[in-house]
Amino acid sequence: MGRFKKENTKGTPKINTASLPDIIFMLLFFFMVTTVMRETTLFVRTSLPSATEIQQLERRSLVSFIYIGPPMQAQVFGTEPRIQLYDSFAGVEDIASFIEAERQATQEAERPLMTTSLKIDSDTRMGIVTDVKQELRLVNALRVNYSTLRGQPSGLR
């Protein structure tokens, strides 16, 4: 009796790529939803000082940032500390309109919870910071926060 030999012509099966577009679109939507765009482009250098007793702000949507430090392009803007509001340099006199615009963009019930966070370069002298704080007092923005990094302060080592 003869044996019939079955020839194994099957190779590895081809991969089904029908669900590949679905996976790609799921990844695309995931990254679109979770990606946070940078709010402002920094034009000033802010190497923040370090501190040991810090607290995290609860609602970042109610925080307005004021950046103070030397300009990154020193050959164009000089080396003196400058104030940055949004994406441009500003003077102390512009802080009132900045705070008022931030208040108008916030709901009325949340306005008392608004905080102004000062991100100040560690080498900046207190003169410009005092001017900013005086202007914040004039516009009744009394909740002020100093942004720092967690760590041992450099003066206490």
Side-chain angles (χ1 to χ4, degrees), residues 42-129:
L42 288 180
F43 297 123
V44 296
R45 179 174 49 95
T46 55
S47 61
L48 299 176
S50 57
T52 56
E53 301 295 323
I54 61 173
Q55 291 179 336
Q56 187 116 17
L57 293 172
E58 288 121 26
R59 298 189 58 190
R60 194 172 167 105
S61 63
L62 296 175
V63 178
S64 305
F65 292 98
I66 298 176
Y67 302 94
I68 303 173
M72 295 220 189
Q73 296 179 353
Q75 65 274 15
V76 178
F77 298 110
T79 58
E80 289 298 313
R82 306 273 306 259
I83 301 170
Q84 179 181 344
L85 305 174
Y86 299 121
D87 282 337
S88 63
F89 290 122
V92 176
E93 63 278 355
D94 299 325
I95 292 176
S97 61
F98 168 74
I99 295 296
E100 188 58 36
E102 291 289 317
R103 284 182 181 153
Q104 294 300 323
T106 307
Q107 295 177 1
E108 180 121 12
E110 295 178 335
R111 288 182 187 165
L113 303 174
M114 288 181 61
T115 303
T116 304
S117 181
L118 301 177
K119 288 195 171 192
I120 306 168
D121 185 62
S122 58
D123 295 331
T124 301
R125 303 230 181 240
M126 283 302 290
I128 191 168
V129 178

